[in-house]
């Protein structure tokens, strides 16, 4: 489910060229604060994939709600003591 969520997030990414050493800029507006740069479009896309993964993990750790993207939704699971 996490892989599908990340793939859906990447489908929603916006890319543009900027004047920088890493001229490819990518962001996902549905995920606050998720943006990256890269030397190539492929590098930018891979960087974005890694940042989304980290963003999900951090959001779960901090208890920050993760927005639903299309049919994909990630909910944190409460720890169960045995």
């Amino acid at each position: 489910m996490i892989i599908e969520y990340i793939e859906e997030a990447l489908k929603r990414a916006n890319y543009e060229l900027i004047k920088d050493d890493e001229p490819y800029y990518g962001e996902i507006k549905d995920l606050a604060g998720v943006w990256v740069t890269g030397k190539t479009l492929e590098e930018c896309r891979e960087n974005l994939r890694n940042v989304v993964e980290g963003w999900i993990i951090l959001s779960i750790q901090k208890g920050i709600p993760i927005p639903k993207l299309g049919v994909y939704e990630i909910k944190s699971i409460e720890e169960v003591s045995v």
Side-chain angles (χ1 to χ4, degrees):
M1 166 131 90
I2 292 175
I3 293 170
E4 290 86 357
Y5 186 92
I6 293 171
E7 289 302 317
E8 180 64 26
L10 292 174
K11 288 178 186 175
R12 296 166 182 256
N14 295 310
Y15 299 96
E16 62 182 87
L17 287 172
I18 59 174
K19 292 183 180 182
D20 191 75
D21 289 340
E22 294 187 346
Y24 290 88
Y25 171 85
E27 71 176 335
I28 301 172
K29 293 183 180 185
D30 294 327
L31 307 180
V34 174
W35 64 271
V36 299
T37 60
K39 292 184 179 181
T40 65
L41 181 58
E42 292 79 20
E43 181 181 283
C44 184
R45 184 171 167 79
E46 186 59 32
N47 291 344
L48 198 52
R49 178 184 308 279
N50 292 332
V51 167
V52 170
E53 182 179 327
W55 183 89
I56 291 168
I57 292 168
L58 184 62
S59 295
I60 290 170
Q61 288 176 340
K62 298 284 186 181
I64 299 168
I66 299 172
K68 185 175 180 180
L69 296 179
V71 298
Y72 303 104
E73 186 173 17
I74 297 175
K75 295 182 181 179
S76 63
I77 301 171
E78 292 183 28
E79 291 186 28
V80 177
S81 304
V82 184

